[in-house]
Amino acid sequence: RITPMRDLAAEWAGYANAEFLGSGPSYATSAFGAAKMLEAAGTHALAQDMEEWAHLQYFVAKPESTATFLIAPAGAKAESRAVEISKFLRTLERPSIALVGPGSPIADYHIPTLTIPEMVDEPFSPILYSIPLALFAGYLADATGAEYGRAHSGRWIDSDMGNSIRESRIVIP
């Protein structure tokens, strides 16, 4: 069965960069999405707070070259800013999709959306909203032929068995 995230991964397989935008708990979801994309497909990915994005990445020289996820649960405290950001994404012609909840105003216009069918209180939204991002990362790896974690081989051999993070000491004064 083809899923929306698998379709999107096939469509976006050629993008070398991705951004994940969110505020509050959705910023944490954005960081998770960026991490999964890096780990699974090796695609450069950045998590950014929506407000910071409007002052920074909004000005990138080739906006059409960066795939962008907007994490915007319905009823979130930053929902009105997410609506504004969705307008900017459309005007800039960025390849973008918004993950929204039922009744989101973004779903009515601006950019493509994927609706998470359950309403959830904003502090708990990362539990649900991270699922399609993890699926996307896996499907993107499939679409690009990437191996998770670069298969811990070649230049990434040091990461085999978690060795790139095993031998460090944490010194507590």
PDB file of all heavy atoms in Angstrom, residues 2-20:
ATOM      1  N   ILE A   2       0.542   2.203  -0.811  1.00  0.00           N
ATOM      2  CA  ILE A   2       1.282   3.464  -0.882  1.00  0.00           C
ATOM      3  C   ILE A   2       0.703   4.415   0.164  1.00  0.00           C
ATOM      4  O   ILE A   2      -0.506   4.580   0.273  1.00  0.00           O
ATOM      5  CB  ILE A   2       1.179   4.087  -2.298  1.00  0.00           C
ATOM      6  CG1 ILE A   2       1.704   3.114  -3.348  1.00  0.00           C
ATOM      7  CG2 ILE A   2       1.910   5.412  -2.362  1.00  0.00           C
ATOM      8  CD1 ILE A   2       3.162   2.735  -3.163  1.00  0.00           C
ATOM      9  N   THR A   3       1.573   5.026   0.913  1.00  0.00           N
ATOM     10  CA  THR A   3       1.142   5.967   1.938  1.00  0.00           C
ATOM     11  C   THR A   3       1.513   7.384   1.522  1.00  0.00           C
ATOM     12  O   THR A   3       2.391   7.570   0.675  1.00  0.00           O
ATOM     13  CB  THR A   3       1.825   5.647   3.281  1.00  0.00           C
ATOM     14  OG1 THR A   3       3.226   5.889   3.139  1.00  0.00           O
ATOM     15  CG2 THR A   3       1.584   4.205   3.709  1.00  0.00           C
ATOM     16  N   PRO A   4       0.895   8.385   2.130  1.00  0.00           N
ATOM     17  CA  PRO A   4       1.262   9.768   1.786  1.00  0.00           C
ATOM     18  C   PRO A   4       2.745  10.055   2.007  1.00  0.00           C
ATOM     19  O   PRO A   4       3.373  10.737   1.210  1.00  0.00           O
ATOM     20  CB  PRO A   4       0.389  10.609   2.722  1.00  0.00           C
ATOM     21  CG  PRO A   4      -0.780   9.748   3.053  1.00  0.00           C
ATOM     22  CD  PRO A   4      -0.247   8.345   3.062  1.00  0.00           C
ATOM     23  N   MET A   5       3.321   9.536   3.070  1.00  0.00           N
ATOM     24  CA  MET A   5       4.744   9.798   3.329  1.00  0.00           C
ATOM     25  C   MET A   5       5.630   9.079   2.318  1.00  0.00           C
ATOM     26  O   MET A   5       6.669   9.595   1.922  1.00  0.00           O
ATOM     27  CB  MET A   5       5.136   9.408   4.757  1.00  0.00           C
ATOM     28  CG  MET A   5       4.568  10.332   5.806  1.00  0.00           C
ATOM     29  SD  MET A   5       5.307  12.004   5.775  1.00  0.00           S
ATOM     30  CE  MET A   5       4.019  12.964   5.038  1.00  0.00           C
ATOM     31  N   ARG A   6       5.241   7.899   1.876  1.00  0.00           N
ATOM     32  CA  ARG A   6       6.023   7.201   0.849  1.00  0.00           C
ATOM     33  C   ARG A   6       5.955   7.972  -0.470  1.00  0.00           C
ATOM     34  O   ARG A   6       6.961   8.144  -1.154  1.00  0.00           O
ATOM     35  CB  ARG A   6       5.524   5.775   0.654  1.00  0.00           C
ATOM     36  CG  ARG A   6       6.359   5.024  -0.392  1.00  0.00           C
ATOM     37  CD  ARG A   6       5.981   3.585  -0.501  1.00  0.00           C
ATOM     38  NE  ARG A   6       6.492   2.899   0.666  1.00  0.00           N
ATOM     39  CZ  ARG A   6       6.040   1.733   1.102  1.00  0.00           C
ATOM     40  NH1 ARG A   6       5.064   1.124   0.483  1.00  0.00           N
ATOM     41  NH2 ARG A   6       6.563   1.172   2.162  1.00  0.00           N
ATOM     42  N   ASP A   7       4.771   8.449  -0.826  1.00  0.00           N
ATOM     43  CA  ASP A   7       4.624   9.265  -2.036  1.00  0.00           C
ATOM     44  C   ASP A   7       5.481  10.525  -1.951  1.00  0.00           C
ATOM     45  O   ASP A   7       6.158  10.897  -2.901  1.00  0.00           O
ATOM     46  CB  ASP A   7       3.167   9.669  -2.256  1.00  0.00           C
ATOM     47  CG  ASP A   7       2.280   8.521  -2.669  1.00  0.00           C
ATOM     48  OD1 ASP A   7       2.800   7.474  -3.099  1.00  0.00           O
ATOM     49  OD2 ASP A   7       1.041   8.674  -2.548  1.00  0.00           O
ATOM     50  N   LEU A   8       5.433  11.183  -0.800  1.00  0.00           N
ATOM     51  CA  LEU A   8       6.205  12.414  -0.620  1.00  0.00           C
ATOM     52  C   LEU A   8       7.700  12.129  -0.690  1.00  0.00           C
ATOM     53  O   LEU A   8       8.454  12.890  -1.303  1.00  0.00           O
ATOM     54  CB  LEU A   8       5.842  13.073   0.709  1.00  0.00           C
ATOM     55  CG  LEU A   8       6.439  14.448   0.958  1.00  0.00           C
ATOM     56  CD1 LEU A   8       5.911  15.457  -0.068  1.00  0.00           C
ATOM     57  CD2 LEU A   8       6.127  14.918   2.373  1.00  0.00           C
ATOM     58  N   ALA A   9       8.140  11.033  -0.093  1.00  0.00           N
ATOM     59  CA  ALA A   9       9.561  10.672  -0.139  1.00  0.00           C
ATOM     60  C   ALA A   9      10.011  10.449  -1.582  1.00  0.00           C
ATOM     61  O   ALA A   9      11.091  10.896  -1.979  1.00  0.00           O
ATOM     62  CB  ALA A   9       9.823   9.431   0.707  1.00  0.00           C
ATOM     63  N   ALA A  10       9.203   9.790  -2.368  1.00  0.00           N
ATOM     64  CA  ALA A  10       9.559   9.572  -3.772  1.00  0.00           C
ATOM     65  C   ALA A  10       9.633  10.905  -4.515  1.00  0.00           C
ATOM     66  O   ALA A  10      10.541  11.134  -5.318  1.00  0.00           O
ATOM     67  CB  ALA A  10       8.540   8.647  -4.429  1.00  0.00           C
ATOM     68  N   GLU A  11       8.707  11.791  -4.219  1.00  0.00           N
ATOM     69  CA  GLU A  11       8.677  13.109  -4.866  1.00  0.00           C
ATOM     70  C   GLU A  11       9.859  13.983  -4.441  1.00  0.00           C
ATOM     71  O   GLU A  11      10.410  14.722  -5.246  1.00  0.00           O
ATOM     72  CB  GLU A  11       7.366  13.807  -4.512  1.00  0.00           C
ATOM     73  CG  GLU A  11       7.169  15.153  -5.151  1.00  0.00           C
ATOM     74  CD  GLU A  11       5.861  15.807  -4.726  1.00  0.00           C
ATOM     75  OE1 GLU A  11       4.896  15.087  -4.405  1.00  0.00           O
ATOM     76  OE2 GLU A  11       5.824  17.050  -4.709  1.00  0.00           O
ATOM     77  N   TRP A  12      10.263  13.900  -3.195  1.00  0.00           N
ATOM     78  CA  TRP A  12      11.302  14.766  -2.647  1.00  0.00           C
ATOM     79  C   TRP A  12      12.676  14.109  -2.606  1.00  0.00           C
ATOM     80  O   TRP A  12      13.624  14.674  -2.058  1.00  0.00           O
ATOM     81  CB  TRP A  12      10.922  15.216  -1.248  1.00  0.00           C
ATOM     82  CG  TRP A  12       9.843  16.266  -1.209  1.00  0.00           C
ATOM     83  CD1 TRP A  12       9.111  16.748  -2.251  1.00  0.00           C
ATOM     84  CD2 TRP A  12       9.376  16.957  -0.058  1.00  0.00           C
ATOM     85  NE1 TRP A  12       8.213  17.694  -1.820  1.00  0.00           N
ATOM     86  CE2 TRP A  12       8.357  17.841  -0.475  1.00  0.00           C
ATOM     87  CE3 TRP A  12       9.713  16.910   1.286  1.00  0.00           C
ATOM     88  CZ2 TRP A  12       7.683  18.672   0.402  1.00  0.00           C
ATOM     89  CZ3 TRP A  12       9.039  17.737   2.170  1.00  0.00           C
ATOM     90  CH2 TRP A  12       8.032  18.616   1.734  1.00  0.00           C
ATOM     91  N   ALA A  13      12.846  12.962  -3.193  1.00  0.00           N
ATOM     92  CA  ALA A  13      14.121  12.227  -3.114  1.00  0.00           C
ATOM     93  C   ALA A  13      15.301  13.014  -3.670  1.00  0.00           C
ATOM     94  O   ALA A  13      16.438  12.784  -3.270  1.00  0.00           O
ATOM     95  CB  ALA A  13      13.994  10.887  -3.833  1.00  0.00           C
ATOM     96  N   GLY A  14      15.077  13.957  -4.553  1.00  0.00           N
ATOM     97  CA  GLY A  14      16.166  14.703  -5.166  1.00  0.00           C
ATOM     98  C   GLY A  14      16.636  15.925  -4.401  1.00  0.00           C
ATOM     99  O   GLY A  14      17.625  16.554  -4.781  1.00  0.00           O
ATOM    100  N   TYR A  15      15.958  16.281  -3.310  1.00  0.00           N
ATOM    101  CA  TYR A  15      16.358  17.463  -2.557  1.00  0.00           C
ATOM    102  C   TYR A  15      17.525  17.134  -1.632  1.00  0.00           C
ATOM    103  O   TYR A  15      17.497  16.153  -0.903  1.00  0.00           O
ATOM    104  CB  TYR A  15      15.194  18.032  -1.742  1.00  0.00           C
ATOM    105  CG  TYR A  15      14.118  18.615  -2.612  1.00  0.00           C
ATOM    106  CD1 TYR A  15      12.896  17.982  -2.753  1.00  0.00           C
ATOM    107  CD2 TYR A  15      14.345  19.789  -3.318  1.00  0.00           C
ATOM    108  CE1 TYR A  15      11.906  18.504  -3.575  1.00  0.00           C
ATOM    109  CE2 TYR A  15      13.367  20.323  -4.141  1.00  0.00           C
ATOM    110  CZ  TYR A  15      12.147  19.669  -4.268  1.00  0.00           C
ATOM    111  OH  TYR A  15      11.191  20.186  -5.083  1.00  0.00           O
ATOM    112  N   ALA A  16      18.542  17.972  -1.659  1.00  0.00           N
ATOM    113  CA  ALA A  16      19.731  17.741  -0.824  1.00  0.00           C
ATOM    114  C   ALA A  16      19.585  18.355   0.564  1.00  0.00           C
ATOM    115  O   ALA A  16      20.388  18.070   1.445  1.00  0.00           O
ATOM    116  CB  ALA A  16      20.965  18.330  -1.512  1.00  0.00           C
ATOM    117  N   ASN A  17      18.560  19.196   0.766  1.00  0.00           N
ATOM    118  CA  ASN A  17      18.369  19.896   2.033  1.00  0.00           C
ATOM    119  C   ASN A  17      16.918  19.834   2.458  1.00  0.00           C
ATOM    120  O   ASN A  17      16.017  19.845   1.609  1.00  0.00           O
ATOM    121  CB  ASN A  17      18.753  21.378   1.908  1.00  0.00           C
ATOM    122  CG  ASN A  17      20.185  21.556   1.509  1.00  0.00           C
ATOM    123  OD1 ASN A  17      21.092  21.135   2.215  1.00  0.00           O
ATOM    124  ND2 ASN A  17      20.407  22.159   0.352  1.00  0.00           N
ATOM    125  N   ALA A  18      16.716  19.820   3.768  1.00  0.00           N
ATOM    126  CA  ALA A  18      15.356  19.852   4.300  1.00  0.00           C
ATOM    127  C   ALA A  18      15.335  20.662   5.584  1.00  0.00           C
ATOM    128  O   ALA A  18      16.327  20.726   6.310  1.00  0.00           O
ATOM    129  CB  ALA A  18      14.847  18.441   4.568  1.00  0.00           C
ATOM    130  N   GLU A  19      14.199  21.279   5.822  1.00  0.00           N
ATOM    131  CA  GLU A  19      13.984  22.021   7.064  1.00  0.00           C
ATOM    132  C   GLU A  19      12.709  21.514   7.723  1.00  0.00           C
ATOM    133  O   GLU A  19      11.744  21.171   7.041  1.00  0.00           O
ATOM    134  CB  GLU A  19      13.821  23.512   6.785  1.00  0.00           C
ATOM    135  CG  GLU A  19      15.072  24.169   6.288  1.00  0.00           C
ATOM    136  CD  GLU A  19      14.862  25.615   5.908  1.00  0.00           C
ATOM    137  OE1 GLU A  19      13.704  26.052   5.710  1.00  0.00           O
ATOM    138  OE2 GLU A  19      15.871  26.311   5.805  1.00  0.00           O
ATOM    139  N   PHE A  20      12.743  21.495   9.026  1.00  0.00           N
ATOM    140  CA  PHE A  20      11.596  21.101   9.832  1.00  0.00           C
ATOM    141  C   PHE A  20      11.298  22.274  10.753  1.00  0.00           C
ATOM    142  O   PHE A  20      12.143  22.659  11.567  1.00  0.00           O
ATOM    143  CB  PHE A  20      11.916  19.847  10.643  1.00  0.00           C
ATOM    144  CG  PHE A  20      12.118  18.625   9.790  1.00  0.00           C
ATOM    145  CD1 PHE A  20      13.315  18.438   9.108  1.00  0.00           C
ATOM    146  CD2 PHE A  20      11.121  17.683   9.655  1.00  0.00           C
ATOM    147  CE1 PHE A  20      13.510  17.319   8.314  1.00  0.00           C
ATOM    148  CE2 PHE A  20      11.304  16.561   8.867  1.00  0.00           C
ATOM    149  CZ  PHE A  20      12.500  16.374   8.199  1.00  0.00           C
TER     150      PHE A  20
END
